[in-house]
């Protein structure tokens, strides 16, 4: 019996394993219930009494030896990732910082989502445009000041190639290729030859909206914009429309929302008026529909356009438009939780 114990001890001593699975196989083979060590224990009752003391001790020693051996084999795998300096290479690396969405993207996506709930789809158009889509088709008379070099960036001095000054050009592109009903919004970047200051930039973003169908009325426009304002600035928000002028809408209006900062009581953001101007709008001028081969006797429509920067500034209390374009990480990371 002692001889067999010794043989098994030697066998266990020389056992090797090249994976955790193999260690487990050794565990099963030697120290599980049906393993070789326990089989010897089972035979202990047949050992003559005078040998029991020595055999019992040898058996217990064997069991402890097997346990230690298997544990040390297992440990060798679990610390395999440690290098010579003791650094555990298997530990997870530094978590990578997630980027954050730009505040302009956040606001743009929110606007898209609000109008999406009203059935508006999204379309885009080119930033480099021609006179027809930015001005002529939109009923700008030839001498209109917005066509001036002072406002518009022309390319290579060719007055027919220019950077769009508003997203209304996309209205034309969509109406040229689609017959009503049309219900879409057009987010995009626009360019104006303006001095850069805290309040204005030569590059900014707009979202345009267009709805053309039979019997579209000014009441539809007003209700759509009221819904939009409440969704964006809160249920208590009120709107007011002031008469205005755009060549491509008639009648035209500018829309104010009640100041969400002071609730309409008056503060420095709304310049103590209680109101904030956020967009221009109106009924699509019949001349514009006709430019796009849409029957203005049969169809009417409304359009609106707003600046994304302006809305983001109001939304987040940002005082200087230049922050949006400087990519200062200290500014951008404040919008982490807004995702
Ligand atoms: N295009 C106008 C602007 O840039 C906004 C506007 C769009 C007004 C649609 C009326 C209708 O200021």
């Amino acid at each position: 019996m002692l001889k067999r114990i010794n043989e098994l001890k030697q066998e266990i001593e020389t056992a090797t394993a090249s994976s955790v699975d193999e260690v487990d196989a050794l565990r099963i083979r030697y120290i599980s219930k049906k393993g070789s060590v326990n089989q010897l224990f089972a035979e202990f009752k047949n050992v003559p009494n005078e040998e029991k003391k020595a055999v019992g001790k040898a058996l217990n020693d064997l069991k402890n030896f097997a346990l230690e051996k298997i544990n040390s084999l297992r440990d060798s795998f679990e610390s395999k990732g440690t290098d010579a300096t003791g650094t555990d290479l298997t530990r997870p690396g530094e978590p990578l910082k997630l980027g954050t969405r730009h505040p302009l993207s956040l606001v743009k996506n929110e606007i898209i989502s609000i109008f999406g709930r009203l059935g508006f789809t999204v379309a885009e158009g080119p930033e480099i445009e021609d006179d027809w889509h930015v001005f002529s088709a939109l009923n700008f008379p030839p001498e209109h000041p917005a066509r001036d070099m002072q406002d518009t960036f022309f390319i290579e001095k060719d007055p027919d190639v220019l950077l769009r000054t508003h997203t209304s050009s996309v209205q034309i592109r969509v109406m040229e290729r689609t017959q009503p009903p049309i219900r879409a919004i057009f987010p995009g970047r626009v360019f104006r030859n303006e001095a850069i200051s805290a309040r204005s930039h030569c590059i900014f973003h707009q979202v345009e909206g267009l709805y053309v169908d039979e019997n579209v009325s000014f009441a539809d426009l007003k209700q759509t914009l009221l819904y939009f304002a409440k969704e964006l600035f809160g249920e208590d928000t009120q709107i007011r429309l002031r008469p205005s002028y755009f060549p491509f809408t008639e009648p035209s209006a500018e829309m104010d929302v009640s100041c969400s900062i002071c609730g309409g009581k008056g503060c420095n953001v709304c310049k103590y008026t209680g109101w904030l101007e956020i967009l221009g709008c109106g009924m699509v001028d019949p001349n514009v529909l006709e430019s796009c081969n849409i029957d203005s006797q049969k169809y009417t429509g409304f359009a609106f356009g707003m600046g994304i920067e302006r809305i983001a500034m109001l939304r987040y209390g940002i005082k200087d438009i230049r922050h949006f374009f400087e990519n200062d990480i200290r500014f951008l990371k404040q919008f982490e939780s807004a995702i």
Side-chain angles (χ1 to χ4, degrees):
M1 184 77 174
L2 279 173
K3 188 169 166 252
R4 286 173 56 207
I5 290 172
N6 244 332
E7 277 168 10
L8 188 56
K9 191 173 176 185
Q10 270 167 29
E11 186 185 322
I12 294 173
E13 192 167 16
T14 53
T16 55
S18 55
S19 68
V20 181
D21 283 350
E22 282 183 36
V23 176
D24 212 45
L26 290 176
R27 181 188 62 79
I28 291 167
R29 186 145 121 220
Y30 296 121
I31 55 174
S32 66
K33 252 197 174 141
K34 290 187 174 155
S36 342
V37 175
N38 262 348
Q39 267 168 32
L40 289 177
F41 267 97
E43 290 173 33
F44 182 69
K45 58 181 185 297
N46 306 325
V47 172
N49 273 348
E50 61 276 18
E51 288 175 28
K52 272 209 159 84
K53 200 175 167 198
V55 172
K57 184 177 180 312
L59 267 178
N60 278 326
D61 285 350
L62 175 68
K63 192 180 173 184
N64 289 335
F65 179 78
L67 264 175
E68 265 171 37
K69 169 82 182 184
I70 283 168
N71 282 340
S72 82
L73 279 175
R74 188 178 291 127
D75 282 354
S76 75
F77 285 107
E78 279 165 5
S79 57
K80 251 281 157 63
T82 311
D83 72 2
T85 65
T87 310
D88 183 354
L89 302 179
T90 63
R91 291 189 60 191
E94 280 288 297
L96 287 178
K97 272 224 174 267
L98 270 186
T100 55
R101 284 216 196 286
H102 194 282
L104 293 179
S105 299
L106 292 172
V107 170
K108 181 181 85 174
N109 290 343
E110 201 172 336
I111 295 171
I112 291 174
S113 148
I114 294 171
F115 283 106
R117 279 175 249 148
L118 292 175
F120 284 75
T121 54
V122 176
E124 288 183 356
E127 294 176 352
I128 302 173
E129 267 292 7
D130 51 32
D131 180 278
W132 170 254
H133 291 95
V134 176
F135 297 129
S136 299
L138 284 160
N139 204 33
F140 278 79
E143 71 284 1
H144 194 282
R147 290 168 177 256
D148 200 299
M149 296 270 274
Q150 242 91 67
D151 290 303
T152 310
F153 287 113
F154 292 93
I155 287 175
E156 288 171 2
K157 302 216 185 328
D158 177 350
D160 198 38
V161 183
L162 48 103
L163 294 176
R164 66 179 178 195
T165 54
H166 55 182
T167 41
S168 302
S169 54
V170 192
Q171 284 188 33
I172 302 301
R173 291 199 173 266
V174 169
M175 284 193 282
E176 279 175 338
R177 60 170 192 250
T178 334
Q179 281 296 310
I182 298 168
R183 188 163 38 173
I185 58 170
F186 320 120
R189 188 160 57 165
V190 300
F191 308 83
R192 283 185 201 172
N193 194 359
E194 284 191 40
I196 297 172
S197 70
R199 299 188 56 99
S200 63
H201 208 286
C202 55
I203 301 175
F204 58 101
H205 299 77
Q206 290 188 328
V207 176
E208 187 92 4
L210 178 69
Y211 183 24
V212 185
D213 201 351
E214 289 177 41
N215 301 318
V216 176
S217 71
F218 201 90
D220 297 320
L221 169 62
K222 203 171 167 184
Q223 192 58 37
T224 302
L225 294 179
L226 177 63
Y227 172 80
F228 166 69
K230 284 176 180 285
E231 289 293 296
L232 192 67
F233 293 108
E235 189 47 39
D236 298 333
T237 308
Q238 295 181 19
I239 61 167
R240 74 176 183 191
L241 294 172
R242 282 177 291 102
S244 185
Y245 174 77
F246 300 101
F248 37 93
T249 47
E250 184 58 38
S252 303
E254 264 161 79
M255 185 177 96
D256 299 340
V257 292
S258 53
C259 179
S260 53
I261 314 264
C262 62
K265 287 191 203 68
C267 66
N268 63 351
V269 175
C270 61
K271 302 207 188 73
Y272 301 95
T273 62
W275 296 95
L276 300 161
E277 185 199 321
I278 64 158
L279 56 80
C281 59
M283 300 306 291
V284 180
D285 192 302
N287 287 346
V288 176
L289 296 175
E290 293 298 335
S291 299
C292 303
N293 294 320
I294 290 175
D295 184 351
S296 63
Q297 297 295 315
K298 189 169 175 203
Y299 295 110
T300 50
F302 66 70
F304 54 87
M306 67 192 94
I308 303 182
E309 280 79 358
R310 166 123 182 105
I311 290 177
M313 286 167 87
L314 294 172
R315 192 64 196 278
Y316 300 121
I318 297 164
K319 296 254 151 56
D320 192 322
I321 195 171
R322 291 169 290 199
H323 286 308
F324 291 120
F325 308 109
E326 281 164 356
N327 283 332
D328 185 330
I329 199 86
R330 292 166 303 180
F331 171 73
L332 295 175
K333 82 176 177 207
Q334 297 178 60
F335 301 92
E336 230 150 351
S337 57
I339 297 178

